[in-house]
């Protein structure tokens, strides 16, 4: 069990191509206080016109979500055991020198016909061992980027967890990128270097930028084998999508690493569940989801089902203390 600190994952977006995730441990004596979430716009107070069928969908969600939540240890243990057995996130979620030696042929998870052979130069960029092996956290918060977070007042509740996963936007040049990472101190930056070929060069550039500017952060890479296993796992559980969203990837990792998981900012509809006022697609911008890749309503329905089963807790703008 982790003790004496908090653990945070932050999703960053470098331009429109590269997604990264930052992990860092906040010890009792540290003070990583420079990080602030993006400014949030005020939400209108009056309901707007709803999309066709949305009122019925939202009413159904609220009905399913209305019962007082309580963790079900049996359901949680069964689900996470199946998840761990299928995906082995503790061992394989991150590319390491231990699980990916020189000469390994990496198959991109987004481009199945493309192979990259690990050279000594690439091998040197891998972390030595998995950062989560044999570790379990108590309470974990996965913070999505849905517009439902606007004016939610959930910040203190989210930050009270031991393990926090956040999403936000980052656009800038090399120096700006390196300076922004100073907010997170000694961190691990998770990069999707082997999802698509065009991400590899960008990911390596991010790693070399951290090194060139003597950043305390360190780049690590998502393991495409893990992402393929994760996709098969969710497909077997009813999620038929071309690609999993980053949100469900992070929720899955949290379920393997954490005893109790809370989700915030996961909401696939364009209107708020309480008040029905319009929401942006993300709390920091209004970029729509690529429906050709992600099946967001289906993902949300599966997470809502896990909420009802007591496996994880899905918050819809409600922020009670943990």
């Amino acid at each position: 069990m982790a003790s004496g600190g908090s653990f945070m994952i932050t999703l960053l977006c470098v331009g429109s191509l590269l997604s990264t995730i930052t992990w860092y441990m906040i010890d009792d004596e540290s003070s990583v206080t420079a990080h602030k979430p993006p400014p949030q716009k005020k939400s209108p107070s009056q309901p707007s016109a709803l999309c066709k069928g949305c009122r019925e969908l939202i009413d159904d969600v609220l009905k399913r979500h209305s019962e007082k939540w309580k963790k079900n240890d049996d359901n949680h243990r069964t689900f996470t055991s199946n998840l761990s057995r299928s995906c082995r996130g503790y061992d394989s979620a991150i590319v390491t020198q231990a699980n990916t030696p020189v000469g390994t042929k990496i198959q991109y998870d987004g481009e199945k016909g493309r192979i990259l052979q690990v050279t000594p130069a690439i091998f040197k960029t891998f972390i030595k061992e998995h950062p989560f092996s044999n570790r379990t956290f108590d309470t974990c918060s996965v913070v999505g980027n849905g517009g439902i977070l606007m004016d939610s007042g959930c910040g203190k509740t989210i930050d009270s967890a031991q393990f926090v996963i956040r999403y936000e936007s980052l656009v800038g040049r090399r120096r700006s990128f390196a300076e922004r990472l100073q907010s997170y101190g000694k961190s691990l930056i998770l990069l999707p270097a082997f999802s698509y070929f065009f991400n590899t060069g960008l990911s390596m550039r991010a790693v070399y930028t951290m090194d060139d500017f003597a950043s305390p952060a360190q780049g690590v890479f998502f393991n495409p084998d893990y992402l393929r296993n994760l996709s098969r796992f969710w497909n077997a559980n009813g999620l038929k999508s071309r690609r999993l969203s980053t949100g469900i990837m992070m929720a899955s990792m949290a379920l393997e690493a954490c005893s109790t998981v809370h989700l915030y900012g996961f909401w696939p509809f364009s209107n708020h569940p309480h008040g029905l006022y319009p929401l942006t697609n993300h709390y920091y911008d209004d970029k729509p989801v690529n429906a050709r890749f992600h099946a967001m309503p289906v993902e949300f329905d599966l997470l809502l089902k896990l909420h009802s089963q007591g496996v994880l807790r899905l918050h819809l703008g409600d922020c009670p203390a943990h």
Side-chain angles (χ1 to χ4, degrees):
M1 188 70 65
S3 60
S6 299
F7 201 67
M8 182 173 289
I9 295 182
T10 301
L11 176 70
L12 310 172
C13 298
V14 184
S16 60
L17 298 178
L18 181 62
S19 296
T20 73
I21 299 168
T22 306
W23 284 316
Y24 66 90
M25 179 68 74
I26 308 174
D27 297 319
D28 290 338
E29 297 179 358
S30 70
S31 57
V32 184
T33 57
H35 167 67
K36 293 182 179 180
Q40 298 179 2
K41 301 175 183 177
K42 295 295 182 181
S43 303
S45 58
Q46 297 298 320
S48 66
L50 287 167
C51 60
K52 185 177 180 180
C54 281
R55 180 181 291 275
E56 291 78 10
L57 287 171
I58 292 174
D59 286 345
D60 179 64
V61 168
L62 292 178
K63 181 179 179 180
R64 294 166 62 189
H65 189 268
S66 61
E67 294 186 10
K68 185 177 181 180
W69 187 85
K70 182 179 180 180
K71 181 184 175 183
N72 185 305
D73 290 325
D74 290 338
N75 289 346
H76 179 271
R77 183 164 46 251
T78 298
F79 183 84
T80 55
S81 294
N82 290 336
L83 178 64
S84 297
R85 185 167 54 252
S86 300
C87 303
R88 300 189 303 108
Y90 266 122
D91 301 318
S92 66
I94 308 300
V95 172
T96 69
Q97 292 184 357
N99 62 31
T100 312
V102 173
T104 299
K105 293 182 178 179
I106 295 177
Q107 181 185 32
Y108 287 78
D109 68 280
E111 297 179 82
K112 295 179 176 57
R114 190 180 288 273
I115 303 293
L116 177 73
Q117 186 164 337
V118 176
T119 64
I122 293 175
F123 179 77
K124 288 180 181 179
T125 67
F126 297 167
I127 194 170
K128 289 186 177 181
E129 58 186 19
H130 198 294
F132 295 150
S133 292
N134 302 316
R135 271 193 105 168
T136 302
F137 296 91
D138 185 9
T139 304
C140 304
S141 295
V142 182
V143 186
N145 51 22
I148 193 174
L149 283 178
M150 290 169 52
D151 307 316
S152 66
C154 292
K156 290 183 178 179
T157 302
I158 291 167
D159 289 339
S160 69
Q162 280 188 303
F163 183 65
V164 182
I165 303 174
R166 297 182 188 276
Y167 301 66
E168 67 174 61
S169 174
L170 176 65
V171 180
R173 300 174 62 181
R174 292 173 71 246
R175 181 175 295 278
S176 298
F177 172 69
E179 291 175 348
R180 186 70 181 86
L181 291 180
Q182 295 295 327
S183 300
Y184 303 100
K186 189 176 181 181
S187 0
L188 294 178
I189 313 300
L190 180 56
L191 301 152
F194 308 118
S195 289
Y196 294 94
F197 180 71
F198 62 77
N199 274 353
T200 304
L202 288 171
S203 297
M204 294 300 170
R205 185 169 184 262
V207 169
Y208 295 144
T209 296
M210 288 179 252
D211 185 54
D212 290 344
F213 286 87
S215 172
Q218 179 181 5
V220 296
F221 305 127
F222 248 141
N223 190 332
D225 289 338
Y226 167 75
L227 295 182
R228 276 189 290 272
N229 289 335
L230 193 62
S231 181
R232 283 192 286 266
F233 172 83
W234 283 109
N235 185 276
N237 281 273
L239 179 54
K240 315 294 183 182
S241 64
R242 183 174 175 183
R243 187 167 181 79
L244 299 176
S245 73
T246 307
I248 203 163
M249 291 178 188
M250 295 299 99
S252 301
M253 290 181 69
L255 282 165
E256 280 205 59
C258 314
S259 296
T260 304
V261 175
H262 293 251
L263 305 187
Y264 300 85
F266 286 70
W267 182 249
F269 306 110
S270 57
N271 293 79
H272 198 283
H274 309 296
L276 303 179
Y277 51 79
L279 297 172
T280 58
N281 287 281
H282 304 105
Y283 71 79
Y284 58 83
D285 63 21
D286 198 22
K287 186 177 179 180
V289 170
N290 188 337
R292 293 187 300 112
F293 281 85
H294 306 309
M296 299 303 290
V298 180
E299 284 191 7
F300 179 81
D301 187 72
L302 288 172
L303 294 174
L304 181 59
K305 185 180 296 184
L306 293 178
H307 168 91
S308 300
Q309 294 171 349
V311 175
L312 54 77
R313 185 167 185 182
L314 179 64
H315 294 267
L316 304 181
D318 55 316
C319 294
H322 290 307

